[in-house]
Amino acid sequence: DGGITQSPKYLFRKEGQNVTLSCEQNLNHDAMYWYRQDPGQGLRLIYYSQIVNDFQKGDIAEGYSVSREKKESFPLTVTSAQKNPTAFYLCASSRTGGTSGRPSTDTQYFGPGTRLTVL
Amino acid sequence: GEDVEQSLFLSVREGDSSVINCTYTDSSSTYLYWYKQEPGAGLQLLTYIFSNMDMKQDQRLTVLLNKKDKHLSLRIADTQTGDSAIYFCAESSAVKFYFGSGTKLNVKP
């Protein structure tokens, strides 16, 4: 089966701790994305990666970090600097990475999400 | 910046048609999308339309695009209780991928 997986489904963290959310895809997509979803709001882009070993900040990157060492993996670390980390986090991928410095406009396919709660 | 706006709620009876509306501001949008999100799940791509089309039909789903008014709608025929979910409109342009805040569709038996 091809698709995007995120783990874990639910994650609890104590205040002041860093935590890493996993996102893996076997679709051979070049581009991957992280979004945050808060209740009653749309998706906000945190980081995106157009190609391996490269990533760009999205609209709300502060307090987050990412890496893209492998094409199929794009982990997101929520650091203690993120003031309000409790949210639903969605990972997505798209076939191509877009033009230089700009996200792709290809259709994005989403993982099932990780719900992070800070205690 | 670019905005995508949707009404927050829609309630219909089972068997009726549902129409979910969306407006956007970026006239350079190339593709417009409808995604469905069931509770606690990720987003599922339902359908999309290229900006030079004005209508697309896919089984019970009909997408209408009025490019002049920057208005997109999703019509679901014969709405079922399984259609209850949040529906997101999204647009992609030369710059970014933007999502609306979602319309929660409640289907009453």
Side-chain angles (χ1 to χ4, degrees), chain A residues 9-10 35 37 40-43 45 48 58-59 88 90 99 102-113 115, chain B residues 8 30-31 33 35 37-45 48 86 88 92-102:
Chain A
K9 190 172 171 69
Y10 299 97
Y35 291 91
Q37 185 181 23
Q41 295 191 31
L43 280 67
L45 182 64
Y48 63 97
D59 299 317
F88 190 49
L90 287 157
T99 57
R102 296 170 183 268
S104 169
T105 58
D106 276 354
T107 302
Q108 295 188 11
Y109 297 90
F110 285 81
R115 186 166 297 280
Chain B
L8 288 180
T30 50
Y31 285 95
Y33 303 85
Y35 285 87
Q37 185 181 35
E38 296 183 358
L43 273 67
Q44 173 197 354
L45 177 65
Y48 63 90
I86 300 176
F88 288 91
S92 64
S93 66
V95 179
K96 251 179 196 176
F97 214 94
Y98 294 94
F99 288 87
S101 55

Side-chain angles (χ1 to χ4, degrees), chain A residues 22-96:
Chain A
S22 165
C23 178
E24 305 273 331
Q25 53 98 0
N26 60 5
L27 300 167
N28 200 32
H29 283 176
D30 283 336
M32 296 185 75
Y33 311 80
W34 274 106
Y35 291 91
R36 171 184 170 134
Q37 185 181 23
D38 292 288
Q41 295 191 31
L43 280 67
R44 292 185 289 168
L45 182 64
I46 304 172
Y47 267 98
Y48 63 97
S49 167
Q50 295 172 297
I51 201 162
V52 176
N53 292 322
D54 184 58
F55 49 83
Q56 309 287 337
K57 290 182 179 179
D59 299 317
I60 54 163
E62 186 176 347
Y64 299 98
S65 66
V66 293
S67 63
R68 187 86 187 277
E69 296 174 5
K70 297 186 293 183
K71 187 175 186 178
E72 57 271 22
S73 179
F74 190 40
L76 173 75
T77 298
V78 184
T79 74
S80 55
Q82 167 50 235
K83 291 183 173 51
N84 185 19
T86 294
F88 190 49
Y89 290 87
L90 287 157
C91 178
S93 69
S94 64
R95 189 176 55 86
T96 65

